[in-house]
Amino acid sequence: MKKLLGEERRTELLSLLKNAKQPLTGTDLAKHTNVSRQVIVNDINLLKARNEPLLATSQGYLFMHHVQQQKITRKIVCSHAPTEAKEELFILVDCGVTVESVIVEHPVYGEIIASIMVSNRLEVEHFVKRVEESNALYLSALTDGTHLHVISATSTENLDLAESKLRERGFLVEH
């Protein structure tokens, strides 16, 4: 494909994201439009500034279509060692829960929120692999393991089950 310029490229990116069945990585979008990944990052930011419902996840970019099924969200507080992050995420997704984000309270920067958006074991495996391959730290490393998650599901039963399983494992911090 020829190199797409400016507005033509952003229109193409929006079209690709709207029609995608799964997240698209910046690298894949860059190859498709024949530009650098950094150009894609800038384009995504410009589209977000226009209030396009785009979400950057650990798996790539998503266009947030209006979902017909009602979802219920909840914030939970957890604490565990970094080596237990994968187990925590598996517990949550195995209960039919989507882990939308992680939040930590930093003494200098205040609240730091990062999108996770994992709903199944394969997505958890991919997320954990990316953390390990990049030698990144989990955000909870900044707070000695304590962190919040925004989780969602289509029923309160799924959310309650997830909390119960985390409590059993000793990961849930009670209010």
Side-chain angles (χ1 to χ4, degrees):
M1 177 176 232
K2 71 176 179 110
K3 184 175 183 176
L4 295 178
L5 301 176
E7 203 53 43
E8 180 185 11
R9 183 180 58 250
R10 286 184 283 281
T11 300
E12 176 70 10
L13 292 174
L14 209 46
S15 175
L16 289 168
L17 291 164
K18 283 180 180 179
N19 294 313
K21 301 285 187 234
Q22 59 190 19
L24 299 175
T25 67
T27 302
D28 290 341
L29 292 169
K31 286 178 186 172
H32 182 82
T33 55
N34 201 21
V35 296
S36 72
R37 190 183 150 292
Q38 187 57 49
V39 169
I40 297 300
V41 171
N42 292 341
D43 283 345
I44 295 294
N45 286 332
L46 287 169
L47 290 168
K48 284 181 179 180
R50 295 180 193 167
N51 292 320
E52 292 293 347
L54 299 175
L55 180 65
T57 73
S58 59
Q59 291 87 35
Y61 296 107
L62 285 172
F63 184 88
M64 300 301 291
H65 297 277
H66 294 289
V67 180
Q68 298 290 52
Q69 200 169 26
Q70 186 68 21
K71 72 174 181 174
I72 304 152
T73 61
R74 187 179 290 176
K75 277 187 184 177
I76 57 172
V77 182
C78 296
S79 185
H80 55 76
T83 55
E84 298 169 314
K86 182 177 180 179
E87 180 184 357
E88 174 206 44
L89 294 172
F90 275 168
I91 289 169
L92 290 165
V93 300
D94 287 351
C95 292
V97 167
T98 296
V99 182
E100 295 190 4
S101 61
V102 61
I103 305 167
V104 295
E105 201 56 48
H106 190 273
V108 175
Y109 300 111
E111 193 172 77
I112 300 173
I113 303 171
S115 174
I116 296 179
M117 295 305 286
V118 294
S119 300
N120 58 55
R121 282 181 169 252
L122 184 61
E123 291 172 351
V124 170
E125 290 281 2
H126 181 73
F127 174 75
V128 170
K129 183 179 178 187
R130 288 194 58 207
V131 170
E132 291 170 353
E133 286 177 348
S134 65
N135 289 321
L137 295 176
Y138 291 100
L139 283 184
S140 61
L142 298 171
T143 55
D144 293 327
T146 302
H147 56 286
L148 287 88
H149 282 299
V150 174
I151 59 175
S152 65
T154 56
S155 75
T156 56
E157 290 81 11
N158 292 85
L159 296 173
D160 293 343
L161 177 62
E163 283 193 40
S164 173
K165 296 290 184 183
L166 289 173
R167 185 177 296 110
E168 286 174 20
R169 182 58 182 86
F171 290 164
L172 190 68
V173 176
E174 300 293 341
H175 307 286

